[in-house]
Amino acid sequence: AQSVAQPEDQVNVAEGNPLTVKCTYSVSGNPYLFWYVQYPNRGLQFLLKYITGDNLVKGSYGFEAEFNKSQTSFHLKKPSALVSDSALYFCAVRDGSDYKLSFGAGTTVTVRA
Amino acid sequence: EAGVAQSPRYKIIEKRQSVAFWCNPISGHATLYWYQQILGQGPKLLIQFQNNGVVDDSQLPKDRFSAERLKGVDSTLKIQPAKLEDSAVYLCASSFGGSSSTDTQYFGPGTRLTVL
């Protein structure tokens, strides 16, 4: 069975500071990892994914994520946060042998001006 | 490129009533998904179609929920009769290929259902 944990319900940062949203996963096969963002009353927007290759993945809106196999983590990062990055962020995982996408519970990011 | 379309955006019904949601995926996307997102939780897959066939409906409460994708394009999800615990956002998503693990799913804006 596959699962995702987002250990922080909320992350608060000041604008201009680095932003990190944590994600750990558990799969039996090869992990395929995704990050989505959800703004109020909107659907989920795709940010980036890791399938294979370089452990550092770059995505939309200046976000990047680092895949760490030994720590089973896929943390989302942004070097300089903007107030407009305030939203709900979801990490999701697929086991390489399964097509189902499992989501974490989400992390609410608040960036203060 | 147009995204995934869903309607209605909001729906309020009383328990034991029926409700239907509609989804039109991104053009050319073979796979369509319906998710239920309860407040404070991540989306949970209800049913997955590839073209007009069901790939997985193991988490669909079949005593009250039904879904169809008759022509392999748009889809309808129905709840009959609704219960209070069905209050949630219902998200539709689509992906280009089959059930490949690497395909990105693209989501619609969702339908927020409130059951009173």
PDB file of all heavy atoms in Angstrom, chain B residues 70-89:
ATOM      1  N   LEU B  70     -20.465   7.567 -20.949  1.00  0.00           N
ATOM      2  CA  LEU B  70     -21.021   6.753 -22.013  1.00  0.00           C
ATOM      3  C   LEU B  70     -20.257   6.841 -23.331  1.00  0.00           C
ATOM      4  O   LEU B  70     -20.050   5.849 -24.001  1.00  0.00           O
ATOM      5  CB  LEU B  70     -22.485   7.118 -22.226  1.00  0.00           C
ATOM      6  CG  LEU B  70     -23.411   6.755 -21.053  1.00  0.00           C
ATOM      7  CD1 LEU B  70     -24.815   7.252 -21.312  1.00  0.00           C
ATOM      8  CD2 LEU B  70     -23.396   5.253 -20.811  1.00  0.00           C
ATOM      9  N   LYS B  71     -19.841   8.004 -23.744  1.00  0.00           N
ATOM     10  CA  LYS B  71     -19.200   8.154 -25.043  1.00  0.00           C
ATOM     11  C   LYS B  71     -17.697   8.355 -24.921  1.00  0.00           C
ATOM     12  O   LYS B  71     -17.049   8.765 -25.877  1.00  0.00           O
ATOM     13  CB  LYS B  71     -19.832   9.322 -25.806  1.00  0.00           C
ATOM     14  CG  LYS B  71     -21.308   9.089 -26.114  1.00  0.00           C
ATOM     15  CD  LYS B  71     -21.889  10.244 -26.934  1.00  0.00           C
ATOM     16  CE  LYS B  71     -23.357   9.982 -27.260  1.00  0.00           C
ATOM     17  NZ  LYS B  71     -23.963  11.107 -28.033  1.00  0.00           N
ATOM     18  N   GLY B  72     -17.169   8.091 -23.730  1.00  0.00           N
ATOM     19  CA  GLY B  72     -15.736   8.210 -23.546  1.00  0.00           C
ATOM     20  C   GLY B  72     -15.233   9.628 -23.484  1.00  0.00           C
ATOM     21  O   GLY B  72     -14.032   9.855 -23.610  1.00  0.00           O
ATOM     22  N   VAL B  73     -16.145  10.595 -23.297  1.00  0.00           N
ATOM     23  CA  VAL B  73     -15.701  11.988 -23.196  1.00  0.00           C
ATOM     24  C   VAL B  73     -16.166  12.537 -21.847  1.00  0.00           C
ATOM     25  O   VAL B  73     -15.492  12.354 -20.840  1.00  0.00           O
ATOM     26  CB  VAL B  73     -16.223  12.845 -24.365  1.00  0.00           C
ATOM     27  CG1 VAL B  73     -15.733  14.288 -24.228  1.00  0.00           C
ATOM     28  CG2 VAL B  73     -15.768  12.265 -25.694  1.00  0.00           C
ATOM     29  N   ASP B  74     -17.352  13.184 -21.817  1.00  0.00           N
ATOM     30  CA  ASP B  74     -17.793  13.752 -20.552  1.00  0.00           C
ATOM     31  C   ASP B  74     -18.397  12.677 -19.656  1.00  0.00           C
ATOM     32  O   ASP B  74     -18.685  11.559 -20.096  1.00  0.00           O
ATOM     33  CB  ASP B  74     -18.747  14.927 -20.763  1.00  0.00           C
ATOM     34  CG  ASP B  74     -19.952  14.555 -21.596  1.00  0.00           C
ATOM     35  OD1 ASP B  74     -19.950  13.449 -22.176  1.00  0.00           O
ATOM     36  OD2 ASP B  74     -20.883  15.362 -21.665  1.00  0.00           O
ATOM     37  N   SER B  75     -18.546  13.059 -18.392  1.00  0.00           N
ATOM     38  CA  SER B  75     -18.974  12.096 -17.382  1.00  0.00           C
ATOM     39  C   SER B  75     -19.943  12.736 -16.403  1.00  0.00           C
ATOM     40  O   SER B  75     -19.931  13.958 -16.202  1.00  0.00           O
ATOM     41  CB  SER B  75     -17.749  11.583 -16.615  1.00  0.00           C
ATOM     42  OG  SER B  75     -18.117  10.741 -15.556  1.00  0.00           O
ATOM     43  N   THR B  76     -20.785  11.897 -15.814  1.00  0.00           N
ATOM     44  CA  THR B  76     -21.729  12.339 -14.795  1.00  0.00           C
ATOM     45  C   THR B  76     -21.575  11.482 -13.551  1.00  0.00           C
ATOM     46  O   THR B  76     -21.470  10.256 -13.650  1.00  0.00           O
ATOM     47  CB  THR B  76     -23.178  12.231 -15.296  1.00  0.00           C
ATOM     48  OG1 THR B  76     -23.319  12.994 -16.492  1.00  0.00           O
ATOM     49  CG2 THR B  76     -24.158  12.756 -14.259  1.00  0.00           C
ATOM     50  N   LEU B  77     -21.548  12.133 -12.398  1.00  0.00           N
ATOM     51  CA  LEU B  77     -21.520  11.452 -11.102  1.00  0.00           C
ATOM     52  C   LEU B  77     -22.830  11.780 -10.390  1.00  0.00           C
ATOM     53  O   LEU B  77     -23.222  12.940 -10.325  1.00  0.00           O
ATOM     54  CB  LEU B  77     -20.340  11.945 -10.262  1.00  0.00           C
ATOM     55  CG  LEU B  77     -20.229  11.412  -8.832  1.00  0.00           C
ATOM     56  CD1 LEU B  77     -19.869   9.924  -8.849  1.00  0.00           C
ATOM     57  CD2 LEU B  77     -19.181  12.188  -8.035  1.00  0.00           C
ATOM     58  N   LYS B  78     -23.510  10.745  -9.900  1.00  0.00           N
ATOM     59  CA  LYS B  78     -24.799  10.950  -9.257  1.00  0.00           C
ATOM     60  C   LYS B  78     -24.781  10.392  -7.840  1.00  0.00           C
ATOM     61  O   LYS B  78     -24.132   9.366  -7.568  1.00  0.00           O
ATOM     62  CB  LYS B  78     -25.911  10.258 -10.049  1.00  0.00           C
ATOM     63  CG  LYS B  78     -26.122  10.824 -11.434  1.00  0.00           C
ATOM     64  CD  LYS B  78     -27.231  10.076 -12.172  1.00  0.00           C
ATOM     65  CE  LYS B  78     -27.427  10.626 -13.581  1.00  0.00           C
ATOM     66  NZ  LYS B  78     -28.454   9.880 -14.343  1.00  0.00           N
ATOM     67  N   ILE B  79     -25.506  11.070  -6.960  1.00  0.00           N
ATOM     68  CA  ILE B  79     -25.688  10.599  -5.594  1.00  0.00           C
ATOM     69  C   ILE B  79     -27.202  10.523  -5.353  1.00  0.00           C
ATOM     70  O   ILE B  79     -27.919  11.492  -5.560  1.00  0.00           O
ATOM     71  CB  ILE B  79     -25.055  11.540  -4.552  1.00  0.00           C
ATOM     72  CG1 ILE B  79     -23.594  11.818  -4.884  1.00  0.00           C
ATOM     73  CG2 ILE B  79     -25.171  10.918  -3.164  1.00  0.00           C
ATOM     74  CD1 ILE B  79     -22.945  12.839  -3.953  1.00  0.00           C
ATOM     75  N   GLN B  80     -27.648   9.327  -4.927  1.00  0.00           N
ATOM     76  CA  GLN B  80     -29.077   9.149  -4.695  1.00  0.00           C
ATOM     77  C   GLN B  80     -29.310   7.982  -3.736  1.00  0.00           C
ATOM     78  O   GLN B  80     -29.010   6.834  -4.109  1.00  0.00           O
ATOM     79  CB  GLN B  80     -29.796   8.880  -6.016  1.00  0.00           C
ATOM     80  CG  GLN B  80     -31.302   8.737  -5.904  1.00  0.00           C
ATOM     81  CD  GLN B  80     -31.977   8.488  -7.249  1.00  0.00           C
ATOM     82  OE1 GLN B  80     -31.316   8.265  -8.263  1.00  0.00           O
ATOM     83  NE2 GLN B  80     -33.290   8.510  -7.265  1.00  0.00           N
ATOM     84  N   PRO B  81     -29.802   8.219  -2.544  1.00  0.00           N
ATOM     85  CA  PRO B  81     -30.089   9.500  -1.913  1.00  0.00           C
ATOM     86  C   PRO B  81     -28.867  10.042  -1.180  1.00  0.00           C
ATOM     87  O   PRO B  81     -28.007   9.276  -0.729  1.00  0.00           O
ATOM     88  CB  PRO B  81     -31.181   9.119  -0.902  1.00  0.00           C
ATOM     89  CG  PRO B  81     -30.786   7.737  -0.472  1.00  0.00           C
ATOM     90  CD  PRO B  81     -30.182   7.083  -1.701  1.00  0.00           C
ATOM     91  N   ALA B  82     -28.806  11.347  -1.039  1.00  0.00           N
ATOM     92  CA  ALA B  82     -27.651  11.957  -0.378  1.00  0.00           C
ATOM     93  C   ALA B  82     -27.763  11.861   1.137  1.00  0.00           C
ATOM     94  O   ALA B  82     -28.857  11.884   1.705  1.00  0.00           O
ATOM     95  CB  ALA B  82     -27.536  13.426  -0.788  1.00  0.00           C
ATOM     96  N   LYS B  83     -26.600  11.738   1.784  1.00  0.00           N
ATOM     97  CA  LYS B  83     -26.502  11.753   3.235  1.00  0.00           C
ATOM     98  C   LYS B  83     -25.700  12.965   3.674  1.00  0.00           C
ATOM     99  O   LYS B  83     -24.956  13.557   2.872  1.00  0.00           O
ATOM    100  CB  LYS B  83     -25.826  10.484   3.738  1.00  0.00           C
ATOM    101  CG  LYS B  83     -26.626   9.213   3.528  1.00  0.00           C
ATOM    102  CD  LYS B  83     -25.901   8.033   4.175  1.00  0.00           C
ATOM    103  CE  LYS B  83     -26.744   6.770   4.082  1.00  0.00           C
ATOM    104  NZ  LYS B  83     -26.068   5.608   4.737  1.00  0.00           N
ATOM    105  N   LEU B  84     -25.823  13.291   4.952  1.00  0.00           N
ATOM    106  CA  LEU B  84     -25.107  14.461   5.478  1.00  0.00           C
ATOM    107  C   LEU B  84     -23.603  14.332   5.235  1.00  0.00           C
ATOM    108  O   LEU B  84     -22.929  15.323   4.914  1.00  0.00           O
ATOM    109  CB  LEU B  84     -25.383  14.624   6.977  1.00  0.00           C
ATOM    110  CG  LEU B  84     -26.816  14.940   7.383  1.00  0.00           C
ATOM    111  CD1 LEU B  84     -26.927  15.001   8.904  1.00  0.00           C
ATOM    112  CD2 LEU B  84     -27.291  16.241   6.763  1.00  0.00           C
ATOM    113  N   GLU B  85     -23.082  13.096   5.390  1.00  0.00           N
ATOM    114  CA  GLU B  85     -21.632  12.905   5.258  1.00  0.00           C
ATOM    115  C   GLU B  85     -21.132  13.008   3.818  1.00  0.00           C
ATOM    116  O   GLU B  85     -19.924  12.933   3.564  1.00  0.00           O
ATOM    117  CB  GLU B  85     -21.213  11.544   5.838  1.00  0.00           C
ATOM    118  CG  GLU B  85     -21.893  10.353   5.206  1.00  0.00           C
ATOM    119  CD  GLU B  85     -23.063   9.860   6.022  1.00  0.00           C
ATOM    120  OE1 GLU B  85     -23.776  10.695   6.628  1.00  0.00           O
ATOM    121  OE2 GLU B  85     -23.278   8.632   6.061  1.00  0.00           O
ATOM    122  N   ASP B  86     -22.046  13.194   2.864  1.00  0.00           N
ATOM    123  CA  ASP B  86     -21.624  13.394   1.480  1.00  0.00           C
ATOM    124  C   ASP B  86     -21.220  14.848   1.206  1.00  0.00           C
ATOM    125  O   ASP B  86     -20.749  15.163   0.108  1.00  0.00           O
ATOM    126  CB  ASP B  86     -22.750  13.007   0.515  1.00  0.00           C
ATOM    127  CG  ASP B  86     -23.119  11.537   0.609  1.00  0.00           C
ATOM    128  OD1 ASP B  86     -22.240  10.732   0.975  1.00  0.00           O
ATOM    129  OD2 ASP B  86     -24.294  11.212   0.348  1.00  0.00           O
ATOM    130  N   SER B  87     -21.405  15.712   2.188  1.00  0.00           N
ATOM    131  CA  SER B  87     -20.974  17.107   2.026  1.00  0.00           C
ATOM    132  C   SER B  87     -19.471  17.137   1.795  1.00  0.00           C
ATOM    133  O   SER B  87     -18.695  16.674   2.644  1.00  0.00           O
ATOM    134  CB  SER B  87     -21.339  17.924   3.259  1.00  0.00           C
ATOM    135  OG  SER B  87     -22.739  18.038   3.402  1.00  0.00           O
ATOM    136  N   ALA B  88     -19.066  17.671   0.667  1.00  0.00           N
ATOM    137  CA  ALA B  88     -17.663  17.640   0.259  1.00  0.00           C
ATOM    138  C   ALA B  88     -17.527  18.408  -1.047  1.00  0.00           C
ATOM    139  O   ALA B  88     -18.509  18.874  -1.622  1.00  0.00           O
ATOM    140  CB  ALA B  88     -17.186  16.202   0.065  1.00  0.00           C
ATOM    141  N   VAL B  89     -16.291  18.523  -1.502  1.00  0.00           N
ATOM    142  CA  VAL B  89     -16.024  19.018  -2.854  1.00  0.00           C
ATOM    143  C   VAL B  89     -15.767  17.804  -3.741  1.00  0.00           C
ATOM    144  O   VAL B  89     -14.964  16.928  -3.375  1.00  0.00           O
ATOM    145  CB  VAL B  89     -14.821  19.966  -2.886  1.00  0.00           C
ATOM    146  CG1 VAL B  89     -14.504  20.379  -4.322  1.00  0.00           C
ATOM    147  CG2 VAL B  89     -15.092  21.204  -2.031  1.00  0.00           C
TER     148      VAL B  89
END
